[in-house]
Amino acid sequence: MRVALFLTCVNDTLYPGTGRAVVKLLTRLGVDVDFPMAQTCCGQAHYNTGYRHQAEPLARHFSDVFGSDAYDAVVTPSGSCGAMVRELYPRMGERARAEGRGGGLARAVAPVVPKTYELTEFLVDVLGVTDVGAYYPHTVTYHPTCHGLRALGLADRPTRLLRAVKGLELVELPGAEECCGFGGTFAVKNADVSAAMGADKVRNAESTGAEVLCAADNSCLMHIGGTMTRLRTAVRPVHIAEILASTEEEASS
Amino acid sequence: MSGGTFVGMPAFPAAAREAVGNTTLRANLRHATHTIRDKRARAVAELSDWDRLREAGKRIKDHTLRHLDRYLVQLEESVERAGGTVHWAADAEEANRIVAGLVRATGETEVVKVKSMATQEIGLNEALEAEGIRAYETDLAELIVQLGHDRPSHILVPAIHRNRGEIRDIFREEMAGWGRPAPDGLTDTPAELAEAARLHLREKFLRAKVGISGANFMVAETGTLVVVESEGNGRMCLTLPETLISVVGIEKVVPAWRDLEVFLQTLPRSSTAERMNPYTSMWTGTTDEDGPSTFHLVLLDNGRTDTLADEVGRQALRCIRCSACLNVCPVYERAGGHAYGSVYPGPIGAILSPQLRGTGSEIDASLPYASSLCGACYEVCPVAIDIPEVLVHLRERVVQGGEATRGGNRVTLKPAKGHAAERAAMRAAGLAFARPGALRAGQRLASRTRRLHPRALPGPGRAWSATRDLPEVPVEPFRDWWQRTRGGGGGSGDDRTTEGNGR
């Protein structure tokens, strides 16, 4: 199986460790991973802020880069960017058609939409594994980010994967399904409400006594982590890919 | 209601800032919304066919909206056949003029009201006051809001932002000025507060000759109007006065009596988490010797046909005002209802107000951004309004302008003021992302200058760094690592251990 890693612009620029973890994890599971160098951004920030027309060329570019028959699947370690492709690209195509601009965009995105998967979805649904052979001797609490939870319907896939990790103790996060307050430009446009939501999320994480708060989206973790260091809490934010990539040999070396 | 208009409200972020800093308000809201949301989830889980009911409600509403002209004419004929009179009001001013004229014709200067979103929306109480007519709210929560010279902050629980102690103080200080005073030694126990309100209101019910209501539904085939409520005060308003005037938004019509079967299940479970609401009152025209002898129905447009003209936004008109979206919204919970600058707060208000009123004012242009797009509102909506979709659609209208319908005419809206810098940034980012080389150059620059990055940001970014630390830029972006270790070729094997996540 050959997959294209769609890392997302945020991970590429700010969280390369997550990308390295995905490569390591998938390779360990026998998957042939490629990182198409021409990839940039899915356009979610544009779309969600009201710049749908500026997001269209990015959707086309994404489809050009990842639509190749050489890839059996496109895998991304981001629930929200995955949801952008799967949920919103088809909608953008339909809107363009309804506006009398033809079906070009809808046709361009059509091949790539059904083969794009969020990482945990890909592991559980496509590879059919829940035990990925990871070892992570820490207490972890899981925050299901909104787009992964509601737009993609990841359900218990991430927690099933986490429960199978050796040494890992999973503790329940109070108010887990409540938004952390990031919301892209929302964090800046409504900074006060966003910060209040973030602080509540951090306090809930703290109350679990966990060492690590894990999620499947670094954008949310950036907001939560930035709040954690400001509030001087002991909990650390870690992307789920980095937990799943960890091994026993590494821990003992 | 004296202080009850939302005119001149500041934009959402400014109004929300005040609420976020008010710890009593946040505690009141948190307690109330979490209690209702948990009960709602249990009440909904009891029904095995909830998803089908939700789909049915959505389809009934969509079908009705598609043929709204036909159903409204049918409704008018049915109401008049049953002895009522129908009036059409294009906007708030016309509706207020019609109602004031109807009350004046009775010779009365006092009216009792059952809680009505439509009359709040048009500012009817203030309009009547200007005509020398005093309107008494009789819903307990509306009474608290009215006595407190306050504004409603929730669709279903207008006084949700008040706690028992605050309510006792309002009753003690204000009841005497509106009628029967609060009993001596009133405490903040719910039973005593309810009894004080009961005595105060009973006097008004028995005296009033004119009642004013809204309606939850109007049935086209029979001309029947429906109000659901919990206290019975509404039924007193609907049945005791000689004249009943109902002001109802045109989107409240349903084709047939049997359609109520769906909504009388989904509405109470979504709103109060009850299997059935305690009082369901239905009235069809007038009946001799029973209830009001005169019945007027004022059908209110006030931006609704403009909303209907918008292909994406029209789904907001499916709303049955259950307020489930408010109770699950993390933004509403912290910002409070007043920050939305309208009688419709929360997620539904954020998409309804900028459509009914247009996006011209500062508050209406800010409302589409009053959401993190978490989607909890869509998940609980009993008529499946995709609120995040409409929010993004309205953001587009705010930042880019475009075609819209206002006052029945197609107009081309200009972008709202204050988005020029953002538009330029989005365009620049779009150009950079269109060329991988440009993105890569930017990443490398950020990595090389990583030690120089400030911990606090200037400009709009300050809002971020005031409460959160920025992530550190890593030594090399992923794509450089990939190229360095893989030479840009296809991948097999991994020769590097994973480092930390760069935070």
Side-chain angles (χ1 to χ4, degrees), chain B residues 218-283:
Chain B
M218 305 185 286
V219 181
E221 68 174 356
T222 56
T224 304
L225 276 70
V226 183
V227 157
V228 297
E229 43 132 5
S230 298
E231 297 167 3
N233 291 337
R235 183 168 292 176
M236 303 278 262
C237 282
L238 295 167
T239 51
L240 286 175
E242 291 165 7
T243 300
L244 174 61
I245 304 166
S246 300
V247 183
V248 190
I250 53 174
E251 83 284 15
K252 293 295 181 79
V253 68
V254 294
W257 183 267
R258 64 171 293 175
D259 297 325
L260 295 175
E261 182 246 355
V262 173
F263 299 113
L264 292 181
Q265 293 187 76
T266 52
L267 177 56
R269 285 180 197 261
S270 300
S271 55
T272 50
E274 288 166 304
R275 295 179 178 124
M276 190 176 174
N277 48 277
Y279 292 86
T280 302
S281 301
M282 302 185 171
W283 63 105

Side-chain angles (χ1 to χ4, degrees), chain B residues 71-330:
Chain B
Y71 287 118
L72 285 172
V73 168
Q74 190 189 2
L75 175 77
E76 179 180 37
E77 289 164 3
S78 304
V79 168
E80 300 209 322
R81 200 181 316 122
T85 310
V86 175
H87 311 260
W88 298 81
D91 55 22
E93 196 193 339
E94 189 173 11
N96 287 332
R97 199 167 56 236
I98 291 167
V99 176
L102 291 170
V103 178
R104 257 200 323 269
T106 65
E108 295 295 314
T109 55
E110 288 181 350
V111 301
V112 286
K113 284 184 68 197
V114 42
K115 184 172 93 85
S116 151
M117 302 305 294
T119 63
Q120 293 276 18
E121 174 190 323
I122 61 176
L124 178 65
N125 290 8
E126 293 80 358
L128 291 178
E129 200 172 282
E131 299 276 334
I133 300 162
R134 207 166 199 196
Y136 295 108
E137 294 292 344
T138 67
D139 173 87
L140 177 55
E142 281 290 340
L143 174 72
I144 294 162
V145 168
Q146 185 174 45
L147 292 176
H149 309 285
D150 200 352
R151 294 187 297 250
S153 68
H154 190 280
I155 288 174
L156 189 80
V157 199
I160 196 168
H161 55 298
R162 299 291 199 179
N163 61 34
R164 285 170 9 202
E166 291 174 308
I167 293 166
R168 177 204 53 207
D169 294 345
I170 290 168
F171 279 11
R172 277 183 181 166
E173 284 157 29
E174 302 289 342
M175 266 186 173
W178 288 81
R180 184 176 171 135
D184 290 337
L186 179 68
T187 74
D188 67 355
T189 60
E192 275 195 42
L193 294 174
E195 181 64 9
R198 200 176 84 89
L199 293 170
H200 180 84
L201 289 172
R202 187 56 55 110
E203 191 188 52
K204 301 211 161 53
F205 289 134
L206 295 175
R207 198 173 61 210
K209 299 280 189 288
V210 180
I212 294 181
S213 84
N216 293 94
F217 306 100
M218 305 185 286
V219 181
E221 68 174 356
T222 56
T224 304
L225 276 70
V226 183
V227 157
V228 297
E229 43 132 5
S230 298
E231 297 167 3
N233 291 337
R235 183 168 292 176
M236 303 278 262
C237 282
L238 295 167
T239 51
L240 286 175
E242 291 165 7
T243 300
L244 174 61
I245 304 166
S246 300
V247 183
V248 190
I250 53 174
E251 83 284 15
K252 293 295 181 79
V253 68
V254 294
W257 183 267
R258 64 171 293 175
D259 297 325
L260 295 175
E261 182 246 355
V262 173
F263 299 113
L264 292 181
Q265 293 187 76
T266 52
L267 177 56
R269 285 180 197 261
S270 300
S271 55
T272 50
E274 288 166 304
R275 295 179 178 124
M276 190 176 174
N277 48 277
Y279 292 86
T280 302
S281 301
M282 302 185 171
W283 63 105
T284 309
T286 56
T287 307
D288 288 340
E289 315 270 319
D290 185 13
S293 53
T294 310
F295 170 59
H296 294 277
L297 172 60
V298 180
L299 288 170
L300 177 70
D301 185 321
N302 207 33
R304 285 161 175 77
T305 51
D306 289 345
T307 306
L308 192 58
D310 188 295
E311 282 174 29
V312 178
R314 68 172 56 136
Q315 56 185 307
L317 296 177
R318 282 188 220 137
C319 177
I320 55 173
R321 312 284 190 260
C322 72
S323 72
C325 63
L326 277 64
N327 299 327
V328 295
C329 178

Side-chain angles (χ1 to χ4, degrees), chain A residues 2 5 7 9 11-25 27 31-41 45-54 57-58 61 87 91 95 98-99 146-147 149-150 177-179 181-198 200-201 203-204 217-219 221-231 237-239 242 245 250, chain B residues 12-14 16-17 20 26 30 34 37 311-312 328 330-335 366 369-376 379 386 388-389 392-393 395-397 399-400 419 422-427 429-430 432-436 439-440 443 446-447 455 460-461 463-483 486 488-494 496-503:
Chain A
R2 185 168 170 80
L5 169 60
L7 187 55
C9 55
N11 287 326
D12 182 9
T13 309
L14 294 173
Y15 301 105
T18 298
R20 293 195 296 267
V22 176
V23 172
K24 181 178 157 194
L25 170 65
T27 305
V31 176
D32 184 10
V33 184
D34 188 23
F35 178 83
M37 291 295 279
Q39 67 179 283
T40 56
C41 164
H46 289 82
Y47 183 90
N48 280 349
T49 314
Y51 299 87
R52 177 169 54 95
H53 290 92
Q54 278 89 330
L58 299 177
H61 180 70
E87 273 254 297
R91 190 178 286 176
R95 290 277 290 150
E99 287 166 1
C146 299
H147 292 171
L149 178 74
R150 300 192 183 90
E177 297 191 353
E178 284 173 37
C179 177
F182 174 58
T185 46
F186 174 77
V188 173
K189 286 181 186 276
N190 279 286
D192 295 283
V193 178
S194 166
M197 289 162 69
D200 287 347
K201 181 61 72 182
R203 274 189 280 270
N204 280 337
D217 230 309
N218 273 328
S219 304
L221 287 174
M222 175 174 72
H223 165 73
I224 296 171
T227 308
M228 282 174 167
T229 54
R230 192 62 65 92
L231 295 177
V238 177
H239 193 284
E242 299 178 30
E250 234 171 61
Chain B
F12 183 84
R17 186 175 307 133
V20 168
R26 272 183 70 185
R30 181 177 171 76
H34 281 251
R37 93 168 62 154
E311 282 174 29
V312 178
V328 295
V331 176
Y332 173 86
E333 182 189 325
R334 285 150 185 103
S366 72
Y369 294 95
S371 165
S372 63
L373 303 179
C374 82
E379 193 174 54
D386 191 340
E389 180 188 19
V392 170
H393 173 68
R395 290 176 184 189
E396 189 176 322
R397 183 173 296 171
V399 297
Q400 309 217 296
H419 289 83
E422 179 187 278
R423 204 157 40 242
M426 285 292 176
R427 201 167 291 145
F433 288 137
R435 291 191 306 253
L439 172 64
R440 192 167 189 191
Q443 287 173 331
S447 285
R455 300 302 285 166
W464 175 278
S465 51
T467 52
R468 291 153 288 205
D469 287 327
L470 290 161
E472 278 183 32
V473 176
V475 181
E476 69 177 347
F478 177 86
R479 66 181 61 223
D480 284 2
W481 171 81
W482 178 266
Q483 200 160 43
R486 312 295 175 109
S492 65
D494 180 22
R496 273 174 70 108
T497 52
T498 302
E499 293 168 11
N501 58 10
R503 279 186 198 90

